[in-house]
Amino acid sequence: ELSIEEKVSLLSKLAKLLLGGDFPAMPKFNYQNGNDIKLAARDSKKLLGYYSSVSGLPVTLIPDDWLQGVAAVRTKINQWELARSIVEVTGPADTSLTAIQLPYKKNDNWLAVQFPGKDEAGNAFGINIDTISCAIFGVDGLKTTTLQSGLLIDEWSESIPVETETTGVAFNYNQPDSMPPQALLLAVYPGIEKNWNWDALLGTVTDTFKRAKMRAVEPKHLQQHQLITHFLPGIIAPVNTKGNNISLDFAVASDEFLKKVPTGLPLYQAYFSTTTT
């Protein structure tokens, strides 16, 4: 035998086949938590009492104020708020909004707005169970002894943060001597053949390391030449004295360096940290 949920699902599919996909089927049902809903509706004004005291809004206006704020960020709520405004303008209708919270708890505060840090007993106001903050349109939805039928306009879940939290972080990391690559070697095959061979590739890498060592500048080199000590740490870069290629021109970048170059000394001889290409 089919369960109630399965019957409802099949009947809904049948209604869409007969009436079209845009026709919503709204089956009737009885509340299974009618007593909770009845008590929550009775204490609705008390539920909003704290926020009323800190915001200065009357209790009766808080749900509408909340609705207007949420409509700015929730598409479905925005559409409902527009439809509700049109209904209120065109004719009389029950568009009242009631805030309740389930499961019912005495002296509760609505979590959809600002709530106190402590409860009436002076203890920290805590949320230790899953709680549903509801906004119900129309008074008929609060009648717990009659069959109900309605639309769920929108729903979302939120986690309310606590003031303090004990946390821990664990992560894997490489040894301190690990480092990202600092250079990229782009090798161009020097021969006329079309394919690389092992000897040519090995020779290219070996020659690159050899030239890098020739261009390297050690601290002792800088100490020997006081003119470039202000360039610490040493810079390894080619320089083009003819100006027909891209290069690092320290003379342009540093007027102080240019002033220290002795008169009559060729400029490229002052670049002790570079090699001429």
Side-chain angles (χ1 to χ4, degrees):
E1 185 178 355
L2 297 177
S3 64
I4 296 177
E5 291 79 7
E6 291 173 336
K7 291 180 180 178
V8 170
S9 178
L10 290 175
L11 290 173
S12 298
K13 292 179 180 179
L14 179 60
K16 289 184 178 181
L17 289 174
L18 294 175
L19 304 173
D22 294 333
F23 186 87
M26 296 183 293
K28 293 185 177 182
F29 61 91
N30 285 311
Y31 284 128
Q32 296 181 356
N33 58 341
N35 189 55
D36 264 10
I37 294 176
K38 182 179 179 180
L39 294 174
R42 183 197 65 186
D43 290 352
S44 178
K45 293 184 178 180
K46 190 173 184 179
L47 188 71
L48 305 172
Y50 172 78
Y51 184 67
S52 177
S53 65
V54 297
S55 66
L57 288 173
V59 172
T60 54
L61 296 181
I62 291 177
D64 293 278
D65 180 72
W66 167 84
L67 180 67
Q68 292 176 4
V70 175
V73 294
R74 304 288 300 184
T75 302
K76 294 181 180 179
I77 297 294
N78 181 271
Q79 294 171 350
W80 172 253
E81 174 65 5
L82 177 61
R84 182 168 176 251
S85 299
I86 295 174
V87 169
E88 291 177 346
V89 171
T90 56
D94 181 14
T95 59
S96 61
L97 183 61
T98 304
I100 67 171
Q101 198 150 270
L102 302 171
Y104 171 75
K105 184 171 65 173
K106 191 176 180 180
N107 299 324
D108 204 358
N109 291 274
W110 203 33
L111 301 181
V113 293
Q114 182 180 348
F115 50 86
K118 295 183 179 180
D119 57 22
E120 293 183 350
N123 301 319
F125 182 81
I127 306 164
N128 50 20
I129 59 174
D130 291 339
T131 303
I132 302 176
S133 296
C134 305
I136 298 180
F137 292 93
V139 294
D140 288 341
L142 301 175
K143 296 178 180 180
T144 59
T145 57
T146 60
L147 287 173
Q148 292 290 337
S149 181
L151 290 173
L152 176 62
I153 298 173
D154 199 0
E155 64 175 342
W156 62 92
S157 299
E158 291 187 20
S159 297
I160 299 178
V162 296
E163 293 184 357
T164 59
E165 188 70 64
T166 302
T167 62
V169 178
F171 57 92
N172 296 322
Y173 63 95
N174 295 328
Q175 294 295 327
D177 58 353
S178 65
M179 63 181 64
Q182 301 297 319
L184 175 65
L185 174 61
L186 176 62
V188 179
Y189 184 66
I192 60 175
E193 299 86 353
K194 294 183 179 180
N195 299 324
W196 277 91
N197 58 67
W198 175 255
D199 292 337
L201 180 59
L202 181 61
T204 300
V205 176
T206 303
D207 184 68
T208 300
F209 274 99
K210 181 179 178 180
R211 291 176 181 270
K213 292 180 180 179
M214 293 173 60
R215 295 187 177 123
V217 177
E218 297 292 341
K220 63 180 181 180
H221 298 150
L222 299 175
Q223 293 172 3
Q224 294 172 0
H225 303 282
Q226 297 298 319
L227 291 176
I228 56 175
T229 54
H230 62 286
F231 280 129
L232 283 171
I235 299 175
I236 305 173
V239 61
N240 188 295
T241 58
K242 296 181 180 180
N244 57 5
N245 203 350
I246 298 175
S247 64
L248 298 178
D249 192 345
F250 296 128
V252 175
S254 174
D255 293 336
E256 182 181 356
F257 174 78
L258 192 60
K259 293 177 183 178
K260 291 185 178 181
V261 178
T263 305
L265 180 66
L267 192 58
Y268 67 88
Q269 292 183 15
Y271 292 154
F272 297 104
S273 62
T274 65
T275 58
T276 304
T277 59

